[in-house]
Amino acid sequence: MAANGITLEQLYNGFRDPDTIKMLLAKIAQIAPQLPEPLRIMEVCGGHTHSIMKFGLHQLLPDNIDFVHGPGCPVCIMPKERIDQAIALAQQPDVILATLGDMIRVPGSDTSLAKLRAQGADIRALYDPLDALVLAQQNPDKTVVFFAIGFETTTPMSAVLVQQAEAMELDNLLLHVNHVLVPPAIDAVMAGGEATINAFIGPSHVSVITGAKIYQAAVDNYQTPLVVTGFEPVDILEGVLMLVQQAIAGEAKLEIQYRRSVSHDGNLKAQQLVADYFELADAFRWRGLGDIPASALRLKPQFNHRNAELKYAQILPTDPVDDHKACMCGEILKGIKTPQQCKVFGRGCTPQTPMGSCMVSSEGACHAHYKYAGVSL
Protein backbone atom coordinates (compact mmCIF):
# COMPACT_ATOMS: atom_id res chain seq x y z
CA MET A 1 0.00 0.00 0.00
CA ALA A 2 1.42 3.37 -0.99
CA ALA A 3 1.58 6.22 1.47
CA ASN A 4 -1.36 7.95 -0.17
CA GLY A 5 -3.51 4.83 0.09
CA ILE A 6 -3.25 3.91 -3.62
CA THR A 7 -1.66 0.60 -4.51
CA LEU A 8 0.64 0.12 -7.48
CA GLU A 9 -1.95 -2.22 -8.97
CA GLN A 10 -4.62 0.47 -8.76
CA LEU A 11 -2.28 2.87 -10.54
CA TYR A 12 -1.74 0.69 -13.59
CA ASN A 13 -5.04 -1.19 -13.75
CA GLY A 14 -6.63 1.47 -15.93
CA PHE A 15 -3.82 1.16 -18.43
CA ARG A 16 -4.37 -2.61 -18.67
CA ASP A 17 -8.18 -2.49 -18.78
CA PRO A 18 -9.43 -5.26 -21.14
CA ASP A 19 -12.43 -3.26 -22.38
CA THR A 20 -10.25 -0.27 -23.27
CA ILE A 21 -7.76 -2.55 -25.02
CA LYS A 22 -10.55 -4.18 -27.04
CA MET A 23 -11.96 -0.77 -27.99
CA LEU A 24 -8.57 0.47 -29.21
CA LEU A 25 -7.94 -2.75 -31.16
CA ALA A 26 -11.38 -2.46 -32.78
CA LYS A 27 -10.67 1.12 -33.86
CA ILE A 28 -7.29 0.15 -35.28
CA ALA A 29 -8.77 -2.83 -37.13
CA GLN A 30 -11.59 -0.69 -38.51
CA ILE A 31 -9.34 1.88 -40.18
CA ALA A 32 -6.23 -0.22 -40.90
CA PRO A 33 -7.51 -1.28 -44.37
CA GLN A 34 -7.21 2.39 -45.38
CA LEU A 35 -3.45 2.39 -44.83
CA PRO A 36 -1.72 3.18 -48.14
CA GLU A 37 1.06 0.70 -47.33
CA PRO A 38 1.92 -1.68 -44.47
CA LEU A 39 2.86 0.23 -41.34
CA ARG A 40 6.19 -0.89 -39.89
CA ILE A 41 6.54 0.74 -36.49
CA MET A 42 9.96 0.78 -34.81
CA GLU A 43 9.75 0.83 -31.02
CA VAL A 44 13.08 2.47 -30.26
CA CYS A 45 13.00 1.73 -26.53
CA GLY A 46 13.71 -1.70 -25.07
CA GLY A 47 11.05 -1.05 -22.45
CA HIS A 48 8.45 -0.93 -25.22
CA THR A 49 9.83 -4.15 -26.69
CA HIS A 50 9.41 -5.82 -23.31
CA SER A 51 5.78 -4.63 -22.96
CA ILE A 52 4.83 -5.55 -26.53
CA MET A 53 6.11 -9.08 -26.09
CA LYS A 54 4.86 -9.51 -22.51
CA PHE A 55 1.28 -8.58 -23.42
CA GLY A 56 1.36 -10.11 -26.90
CA LEU A 57 0.34 -6.84 -28.54
CA HIS A 58 2.12 -7.74 -31.79
CA GLN A 59 -0.27 -10.68 -32.18
CA LEU A 60 -3.39 -8.54 -31.77
CA LEU A 61 -2.80 -6.06 -34.58
CA PRO A 62 -4.00 -6.35 -38.21
CA ASP A 63 -1.62 -8.06 -40.63
CA ASN A 64 -0.62 -4.78 -42.26
CA ILE A 65 0.78 -3.36 -39.00
CA ASP A 66 4.00 -4.70 -37.57
CA PHE A 67 6.47 -3.82 -34.83
CA VAL A 68 10.20 -3.63 -35.51
CA HIS A 69 12.65 -3.64 -32.60
CA GLY A 70 15.14 -0.80 -32.44
CA PRO A 71 18.46 0.25 -30.85
CA GLY A 72 17.04 1.53 -27.56
CA CYS A 73 18.51 -0.90 -25.04
CA PRO A 74 21.63 0.64 -23.42
CA VAL A 75 23.16 -2.74 -22.62
CA CYS A 76 22.47 -4.14 -26.09
CA ILE A 77 24.16 -1.34 -28.03
CA MET A 78 27.42 -1.49 -26.08
CA PRO A 79 30.22 -2.69 -28.39
CA LYS A 80 32.57 -5.38 -27.21
CA GLU A 81 35.60 -3.12 -26.96
CA ARG A 82 33.87 -0.97 -24.34
CA ILE A 83 33.08 -4.10 -22.32
CA ASP A 84 36.72 -5.15 -22.74
CA GLN A 85 37.70 -1.78 -21.29
CA ALA A 86 35.50 -2.39 -18.24
CA ILE A 87 37.13 -5.80 -17.84
CA ALA A 88 40.61 -4.27 -18.11
CA LEU A 89 39.72 -1.71 -15.45
CA ALA A 90 38.39 -4.40 -13.12
CA GLN A 91 41.70 -6.27 -13.45
CA GLN A 92 43.74 -3.34 -12.15
CA PRO A 93 45.13 -3.53 -8.61
CA ASP A 94 43.06 -1.71 -5.99
CA VAL A 95 40.20 -0.93 -8.39
CA ILE A 96 36.52 -1.52 -7.63
CA LEU A 97 34.49 -1.60 -10.87
CA ALA A 98 30.83 -0.65 -10.38
CA THR A 99 28.03 -0.59 -12.93
CA LEU A 100 24.27 -0.97 -13.36
CA GLY A 101 21.88 -3.73 -14.31
CA ASP A 102 22.71 -6.51 -16.71
CA MET A 103 26.01 -5.04 -17.85
CA ILE A 104 28.11 -7.49 -15.89
CA ARG A 105 26.67 -10.46 -17.84
CA VAL A 106 27.40 -9.18 -21.37
CA PRO A 107 30.27 -11.13 -22.96
CA GLY A 108 33.37 -9.23 -23.98
CA SER A 109 35.99 -10.63 -26.34
CA ASP A 110 37.16 -13.35 -23.96
CA THR A 111 35.12 -13.13 -20.77
CA SER A 112 32.48 -11.11 -18.95
CA LEU A 113 32.51 -9.01 -15.80
CA ALA A 114 30.43 -11.69 -14.09
CA LYS A 115 33.00 -14.40 -14.83
CA LEU A 116 35.81 -12.10 -13.76
CA ARG A 117 33.98 -11.43 -10.48
CA ALA A 118 33.68 -15.16 -9.90
CA GLN A 119 37.47 -15.32 -10.24
CA GLY A 120 37.90 -12.77 -7.46
CA ALA A 121 37.78 -9.33 -9.10
CA ASP A 122 36.00 -6.65 -7.08
CA ILE A 123 33.01 -5.86 -9.31
CA ARG A 124 29.80 -4.43 -7.88
CA ALA A 125 26.35 -4.30 -9.50
CA LEU A 126 24.60 -1.15 -8.30
CA TYR A 127 20.93 -0.21 -8.28
CA ASP A 128 21.68 3.49 -7.90
CA PRO A 129 24.73 5.36 -9.27
CA LEU A 130 24.96 7.30 -6.02
CA ASP A 131 25.85 4.02 -4.28
CA ALA A 132 29.27 4.56 -5.86
CA LEU A 133 29.74 7.46 -3.44
CA VAL A 134 29.32 5.11 -0.49
CA LEU A 135 31.75 2.64 -2.06
CA ALA A 136 34.36 5.37 -2.44
CA GLN A 137 33.86 6.58 1.12
CA GLN A 138 34.10 3.07 2.57
CA ASN A 139 37.20 2.20 0.51
CA PRO A 140 39.56 5.21 0.68
CA ASP A 141 42.54 3.02 -0.26
CA LYS A 142 40.83 1.83 -3.49
CA THR A 143 39.82 3.58 -6.71
CA VAL A 144 36.14 3.17 -7.52
CA VAL A 145 35.37 3.30 -11.26
CA PHE A 146 31.72 3.72 -12.17
CA PHE A 147 31.05 2.26 -15.64
CA ALA A 148 28.23 4.63 -16.55
CA ILE A 149 25.70 3.41 -19.13
CA GLY A 150 22.34 4.50 -20.44
CA PHE A 151 20.47 6.94 -22.63
CA GLU A 152 19.24 10.41 -21.69
CA THR A 153 17.15 8.78 -18.94
CA THR A 154 20.08 7.89 -16.68
CA THR A 155 22.54 10.62 -17.58
CA PRO A 156 21.20 13.07 -14.96
CA MET A 157 21.96 10.50 -12.24
CA SER A 158 25.59 10.32 -13.41
CA ALA A 159 25.69 14.11 -13.40
CA VAL A 160 24.52 14.11 -9.77
CA LEU A 161 27.21 11.54 -9.00
CA VAL A 162 29.91 13.87 -10.35
CA GLN A 163 28.34 16.83 -8.57
CA GLN A 164 28.30 15.02 -5.22
CA ALA A 165 31.80 13.59 -5.65
CA GLU A 166 33.11 17.08 -6.32
CA ALA A 167 31.29 18.51 -3.31
CA MET A 168 32.59 15.72 -1.07
CA GLU A 169 36.11 15.98 -2.57
CA LEU A 170 36.19 12.21 -3.16
CA ASP A 171 39.42 11.82 -5.11
CA ASN A 172 39.05 8.05 -5.48
CA LEU A 173 35.88 8.06 -7.62
CA LEU A 174 36.21 7.98 -11.43
CA LEU A 175 33.73 7.46 -14.28
CA HIS A 176 33.99 5.50 -17.51
CA VAL A 177 31.25 7.27 -19.48
CA ASN A 178 29.07 5.39 -21.98
CA HIS A 179 26.02 7.64 -22.08
CA VAL A 180 24.45 7.61 -25.55
CA LEU A 181 21.72 9.64 -27.26
CA VAL A 182 18.52 8.52 -28.97
CA PRO A 183 18.14 11.00 -31.89
CA PRO A 184 21.47 10.10 -33.57
CA ALA A 185 20.54 6.41 -33.37
CA ILE A 186 17.19 7.08 -35.09
CA ASP A 187 19.04 9.06 -37.72
CA ALA A 188 21.52 6.21 -38.25
CA VAL A 189 18.71 3.67 -38.70
CA MET A 190 16.88 5.84 -41.22
CA ALA A 191 19.95 7.08 -43.07
CA GLY A 192 21.30 3.54 -43.36
CA GLY A 193 18.40 2.65 -45.61
CA GLU A 194 18.46 -1.07 -44.72
CA ALA A 195 15.41 -1.07 -42.47
CA THR A 196 11.96 -0.38 -43.90
CA ILE A 197 10.54 1.80 -41.13
CA ASN A 198 7.70 4.25 -41.72
CA ALA A 199 6.64 5.10 -38.15
CA PHE A 200 8.18 5.36 -34.69
CA ILE A 201 7.00 4.89 -31.13
CA GLY A 202 9.19 7.33 -29.20
CA PRO A 203 10.91 6.39 -25.92
CA SER A 204 8.91 7.74 -23.00
CA HIS A 205 11.40 7.76 -20.12
CA VAL A 206 14.01 9.48 -22.26
CA SER A 207 11.39 12.02 -23.27
CA VAL A 208 10.51 12.82 -19.65
CA ILE A 209 14.02 14.27 -19.37
CA THR A 210 14.59 15.69 -22.85
CA GLY A 211 11.07 16.59 -23.91
CA ALA A 212 9.52 15.41 -27.17
CA LYS A 213 11.24 18.20 -29.06
CA ILE A 214 14.37 16.11 -29.66
CA TYR A 215 12.54 14.02 -32.29
CA GLN A 216 11.26 16.88 -34.45
CA ALA A 217 14.30 16.78 -36.75
CA ALA A 218 13.82 13.07 -37.48
CA VAL A 219 10.12 13.58 -38.20
CA ASP A 220 10.90 16.46 -40.56
CA ASN A 221 13.95 14.91 -42.25
CA TYR A 222 12.36 11.53 -42.98
CA GLN A 223 8.69 12.53 -43.09
CA THR A 224 8.02 9.73 -40.63
CA PRO A 225 5.37 10.07 -37.89
CA LEU A 226 6.52 9.62 -34.30
CA VAL A 227 4.36 9.32 -31.19
CA VAL A 228 5.94 9.40 -27.73
CA THR A 229 4.14 6.58 -25.95
CA GLY A 230 3.89 5.13 -22.43
CA PHE A 231 4.75 1.55 -21.53
CA GLU A 232 1.36 0.07 -20.62
CA PRO A 233 -0.80 -1.80 -23.17
CA VAL A 234 -3.38 0.99 -23.44
CA ASP A 235 -0.56 3.52 -23.94
CA ILE A 236 1.06 1.53 -26.72
CA LEU A 237 -2.18 0.76 -28.55
CA GLU A 238 -3.32 4.37 -28.35
CA GLY A 239 0.08 5.34 -29.78
CA VAL A 240 -0.39 2.85 -32.61
CA LEU A 241 -3.86 4.26 -33.32
CA MET A 242 -2.40 7.78 -33.51
CA LEU A 243 0.27 6.57 -35.96
CA VAL A 244 -2.31 4.77 -38.11
CA GLN A 245 -4.47 7.89 -38.24
CA GLN A 246 -1.46 9.96 -39.33
CA ALA A 247 -0.47 7.47 -42.02
CA ILE A 248 -4.00 7.37 -43.46
CA ALA A 249 -4.14 11.17 -43.48
CA GLY A 250 -0.75 11.32 -45.23
CA GLU A 251 0.77 13.23 -42.31
CA ALA A 252 4.10 13.00 -40.52
CA LYS A 253 3.82 14.71 -37.15
CA LEU A 254 5.41 14.54 -33.72
CA GLU A 255 2.74 13.74 -31.13
CA ILE A 256 2.74 12.87 -27.43
CA GLN A 257 0.50 10.09 -26.15
CA TYR A 258 2.29 9.92 -22.77
CA ARG A 259 1.13 13.36 -21.72
CA ARG A 260 0.89 12.45 -18.04
CA SER A 261 4.71 12.53 -17.88
CA VAL A 262 6.12 14.01 -21.11
CA SER A 263 6.05 17.61 -22.29
CA HIS A 264 7.48 19.28 -25.38
CA ASP A 265 10.44 20.79 -23.49
CA GLY A 266 11.06 18.16 -20.79
CA ASN A 267 12.82 18.59 -17.44
CA LEU A 268 14.88 21.73 -17.89
CA LYS A 269 16.64 21.39 -14.52
CA ALA A 270 17.83 17.87 -15.39
CA GLN A 271 18.97 19.05 -18.82
CA GLN A 272 20.99 21.87 -17.22
CA LEU A 273 22.52 19.46 -14.72
CA VAL A 274 23.73 17.24 -17.55
CA ALA A 275 25.05 20.26 -19.46
CA ASP A 276 27.03 21.33 -16.37
CA TYR A 277 29.11 18.15 -16.35
CA PHE A 278 28.96 16.57 -19.82
CA GLU A 279 29.54 17.57 -23.43
CA LEU A 280 29.09 15.87 -26.81
CA ALA A 281 31.74 13.31 -27.70
CA ASP A 282 33.02 13.35 -31.28
CA ALA A 283 31.66 9.86 -31.98
CA PHE A 284 30.65 6.59 -30.34
CA ARG A 285 30.76 3.11 -31.86
CA TRP A 286 27.38 1.40 -31.44
CA ARG A 287 26.94 -2.34 -31.67
CA GLY A 288 25.43 -2.99 -35.08
CA LEU A 289 25.26 0.66 -36.10
CA GLY A 290 28.99 1.45 -36.13
CA ASP A 291 30.49 4.87 -35.46
CA ILE A 292 27.82 7.55 -35.09
CA PRO A 293 29.08 11.16 -34.83
CA ALA A 294 27.95 13.18 -31.80
CA SER A 295 25.91 10.29 -30.45
CA ALA A 296 27.33 10.10 -26.92
CA LEU A 297 28.50 12.26 -24.04
CA ARG A 298 31.82 12.64 -22.24
CA LEU A 299 32.93 14.51 -19.15
CA LYS A 300 33.79 18.16 -19.68
CA PRO A 301 37.55 18.90 -19.61
CA GLN A 302 37.37 20.51 -16.15
CA PHE A 303 36.38 17.07 -14.80
CA ASN A 304 39.18 15.15 -16.51
CA HIS A 305 40.46 14.18 -13.05
CA ARG A 306 37.39 11.87 -12.86
CA ASN A 307 37.78 10.43 -16.36
CA ALA A 308 38.83 6.78 -16.10
CA GLU A 309 39.49 6.61 -19.86
CA LEU A 310 42.20 9.24 -19.46
CA LYS A 311 43.75 7.94 -16.24
CA TYR A 312 43.94 4.36 -17.49
CA ALA A 313 44.46 5.15 -21.19
CA GLN A 314 47.63 3.04 -21.35
CA ILE A 315 45.88 -0.22 -20.45
CA LEU A 316 42.51 0.17 -22.20
CA PRO A 317 41.98 -1.78 -25.45
CA THR A 318 40.64 0.45 -28.21
CA ASP A 319 40.54 -1.71 -31.36
CA PRO A 320 36.97 -2.39 -32.58
CA VAL A 321 35.81 -5.95 -31.91
CA ASP A 322 33.06 -7.47 -34.04
CA ASP A 323 30.39 -9.80 -32.69
CA HIS A 324 30.55 -13.56 -33.16
CA LYS A 325 29.71 -14.32 -36.80
CA ALA A 326 26.70 -16.39 -35.78
CA CYS A 327 25.22 -13.61 -33.61
CA MET A 328 22.75 -11.27 -35.38
CA CYS A 329 22.44 -8.80 -32.52
CA GLY A 330 23.71 -5.99 -34.75
CA GLU A 331 21.16 -6.66 -37.49
CA ILE A 332 18.37 -6.93 -34.92
CA LEU A 333 19.33 -3.55 -33.43
CA LYS A 334 19.15 -2.04 -36.93
CA GLY A 335 15.66 -3.42 -37.45
CA ILE A 336 16.58 -5.62 -40.44
CA LYS A 337 16.39 -9.02 -38.66
CA THR A 338 14.19 -10.60 -36.01
CA PRO A 339 15.50 -12.75 -33.16
CA GLN A 340 13.98 -15.88 -34.72
CA GLN A 341 16.04 -15.26 -37.86
CA CYS A 342 19.25 -15.74 -35.88
CA LYS A 343 20.56 -19.30 -36.17
CA VAL A 344 21.78 -19.42 -32.58
CA PHE A 345 18.61 -17.97 -30.99
CA GLY A 346 17.37 -20.44 -28.37
CA ARG A 347 20.10 -22.92 -29.28
CA GLY A 348 23.63 -21.78 -28.50
CA CYS A 349 22.28 -18.43 -27.27
CA THR A 350 19.86 -18.40 -24.32
CA PRO A 351 19.44 -16.12 -21.27
CA GLN A 352 21.52 -18.64 -19.32
CA THR A 353 24.25 -18.85 -21.99
CA PRO A 354 24.03 -15.60 -23.96
CA MET A 355 26.27 -15.06 -26.99
CA GLY A 356 25.05 -11.52 -27.64
CA SER A 357 23.93 -8.56 -25.59
CA CYS A 358 20.38 -8.70 -27.00
CA MET A 359 19.90 -11.97 -25.10
CA VAL A 360 21.47 -10.67 -21.88
CA SER A 361 19.47 -7.56 -21.16
CA SER A 362 15.90 -7.86 -19.90
CA GLU A 363 15.13 -5.07 -22.39
CA GLY A 364 16.83 -6.88 -25.26
CA ALA A 365 14.73 -8.08 -28.18
CA CYS A 366 16.12 -11.63 -28.06
CA HIS A 367 15.54 -11.91 -24.32
CA ALA A 368 11.95 -10.64 -24.68
CA HIS A 369 11.22 -13.05 -27.55
CA TYR A 370 12.75 -15.97 -25.65
CA LYS A 371 10.83 -15.16 -22.47
CA TYR A 372 7.41 -14.31 -23.88
CA ALA A 373 7.10 -15.63 -27.42
CA GLY A 374 8.18 -19.17 -26.69
CA VAL A 375 10.95 -20.97 -28.51
CA SER A 376 10.02 -23.59 -31.06
CA LEU A 377 13.04 -25.42 -32.43
Side-chain angles (χ1 to χ4, degrees), residues 108-138:
S109 296
D110 301 313
T111 186
S112 67
L113 290 171
K115 290 180 179 177
L116 197 62
R117 183 170 66 175
Q119 295 168 1
D122 197 346
I123 298 168
R124 314 289 181 97
L126 306 182
Y127 290 102
D128 184 339
L130 295 184
D131 290 343
L133 292 172
V134 179
L135 274 178
Q137 287 176 300
Q138 293 177 340

Side-chain angles (χ1 to χ4, degrees), residues 10 14 29-30 38 60 83-84 90 129 175 184 234 271 275 283 299 363-364 373:
Q10 288 171 326
Q30 181 183 12
L60 303 176
I83 300 166
D84 288 345
L175 283 82
V234 167
Q271 292 169 31
L299 284 166
E363 293 187 359

Side-chain angles (χ1 to χ4, degrees), residues 176-259:
H176 186 289
V177 178
N178 302 275
H179 284 302
V180 290
L181 306 173
V182 169
I186 292 177
D187 195 54
V189 167
M190 297 302 284
E194 295 179 273
T196 53
I197 310 297
N198 51 14
F200 283 100
I201 285 178
S204 46
H205 285 174
V206 162
S207 309
V208 170
I209 302 297
T210 65
K213 63 181 183 294
I214 64 169
Y215 311 113
Q216 190 63 60
V219 171
D220 294 341
N221 289 341
Y222 302 104
Q223 287 298 295
T224 304
L226 188 150
V227 177
V228 179
T229 306
F231 289 115
E232 293 296 333
V234 167
D235 290 323
I236 294 172
L237 291 178
E238 185 177 16
V240 171
L241 177 61
M242 294 164 74
L243 289 169
V244 172
Q245 291 170 330
Q246 282 199 49
I248 292 173
E251 297 174 330
K253 298 186 298 186
L254 170 61
E255 295 184 292
I256 305 172
Q257 180 278 333
Y258 196 45
R259 289 193 174 278

Side-chain angles (χ1 to χ4, degrees), residues 120-350:
D122 197 346
I123 298 168
R124 314 289 181 97
L126 306 182
Y127 290 102
D128 184 339
L130 295 184
D131 290 343
L133 292 172
V134 179
L135 274 178
Q137 287 176 300
Q138 293 177 340
N139 297 276
D141 56 335
K142 302 284 183 69
T143 298
V144 175
V145 179
F146 180 61
F147 191 74
I149 66 170
F151 288 86
E152 292 92 331
T153 314
T154 56
T155 309
M157 292 188 285
S158 292
V160 172
L161 178 61
V162 180
Q163 181 189 51
Q164 293 296 310
E166 289 290 289
M168 297 165 68
E169 298 183 348
L170 283 172
D171 296 333
N172 64 328
L173 177 60
L174 310 181
L175 283 82
H176 186 289
V177 178
N178 302 275
H179 284 302
V180 290
L181 306 173
V182 169
I186 292 177
D187 195 54
V189 167
M190 297 302 284
E194 295 179 273
T196 53
I197 310 297
N198 51 14
F200 283 100
I201 285 178
S204 46
H205 285 174
V206 162
S207 309
V208 170
I209 302 297
T210 65
K213 63 181 183 294
I214 64 169
Y215 311 113
Q216 190 63 60
V219 171
D220 294 341
N221 289 341
Y222 302 104
Q223 287 298 295
T224 304
L226 188 150
V227 177
V228 179
T229 306
F231 289 115
E232 293 296 333
V234 167
D235 290 323
I236 294 172
L237 291 178
E238 185 177 16
V240 171
L241 177 61
M242 294 164 74
L243 289 169
V244 172
Q245 291 170 330
Q246 282 199 49
I248 292 173
E251 297 174 330
K253 298 186 298 186
L254 170 61
E255 295 184 292
I256 305 172
Q257 180 278 333
Y258 196 45
R259 289 193 174 278
R260 60 187 183 277
S261 296
V262 173
S263 65
H264 180 266
D265 291 324
N267 186 327
L268 298 180
K269 288 185 178 178
Q271 292 169 31
Q272 184 57 55
L273 185 62
V274 171
D276 287 343
Y277 296 97
F278 294 100
E279 63 182 15
L280 275 178
D282 295 334
F284 191 90
R285 185 172 187 258
W286 294 55
R287 187 186 294 257
L289 298 175
D291 291 323
I292 305 179
S295 65
L297 299 178
R298 64 187 177 197
L299 284 166
K300 285 187 165 180
Q302 56 264 47
F303 303 106
N304 279 349
H305 55 287
R306 299 202 179 276
N307 190 332
E309 286 191 73
L310 294 179
K311 179 170 182 177
Y312 292 97
Q314 298 300 316
I315 59 96
L316 295 182
T318 56
D319 291 338
V321 182
D322 292 332
D323 284 335
H324 190 286
K325 290 182 179 179
C327 175
M328 289 188 173
C329 197
E331 289 86 348
I332 293 167
L333 291 169
K334 287 191 288 189
I336 58 178
K337 295 287 186 182
T338 66
Q340 281 83 357
Q341 291 176 307
C342 178
K343 293 180 179 178
V344 295
F345 174 76
R347 294 181 172 87
C349 184
T350 69

